[in-house]
Structures are given as structure tokens and as C-alpha cells.
Amino acid sequence: MIFPRKREVPPPLVRELVVRGIPVAVTCRVLGSARQPYYRWRADPVTDAGLEQAYRANALFDAHREDRRIRLPAPD
């Protein structure tokens, strides 16, 4: 029997529901997600530097999508 893959649910969503009193196991079961990614995220949250890097990367990708003349250098 082949089981379907678990979906990756954003950990902040799980945390929001847990704060409202819904157990992690129930939240993940209903959302079709595994519990481990939530606990891994909770143990090692995103740092300010990591968040800044993600914002810069998103800005670069948005600029690239808006202006096709911008080309990223090919990886070596």
C-alpha cells in the first residue's frame, strides 16, 4: 500500500493554532502534515539575519520576474 506524502504546512500556522489551544498532533493530522517540521522549526527559529537574507532574495526574484532583461549569472 502506498501512502500519500505529507504536506509541508508553514510552522507559524501550526503555532497559531497551538496558541489557541489546539494540540499539535490534532492540528497536524487535520492539515495533513507531519509534526516533526513544526518541532524542528520551534527548536531553531529564523534569525534576523536569515529573515533579512530571505527578504533580499525575494526582492531580487521579484525584480527578475518584472524585468526579463536582468539575468542572474550562471552557476560555475
Side-chain angles (χ1 to χ4, degrees):
M1 176 178 219
I2 299 175
F3 293 101
R5 275 179 57 138
K6 296 271 185 181
R7 291 186 317 150
E8 185 70 30
V9 176
L13 173 63
V14 176
R15 183 177 193 156
E16 181 180 326
L17 295 171
V18 168
V19 167
R20 293 182 183 188
I22 301 170
V24 174
V26 173
T27 301
C28 291
R29 190 177 324 120
V30 170
L31 295 174
S33 173
R35 289 177 288 166
Q36 188 59 35
Y38 168 72
Y39 288 115
R40 193 170 35 242
W41 172 79
R42 193 177 76 174
D44 189 22
V46 177
T47 62
D48 290 338
L51 188 60
E52 182 65 28
Q53 183 180 10
Y55 284 143
R56 288 180 182 175
N58 284 340
L60 178 65
F61 290 131
D62 290 343
H64 178 68
R65 192 172 28 251
E66 291 170 4
D67 187 357
R68 289 294 179 183
R69 292 176 294 175
I70 298 174
R71 296 287 177 220
L72 295 175
D76 291 334

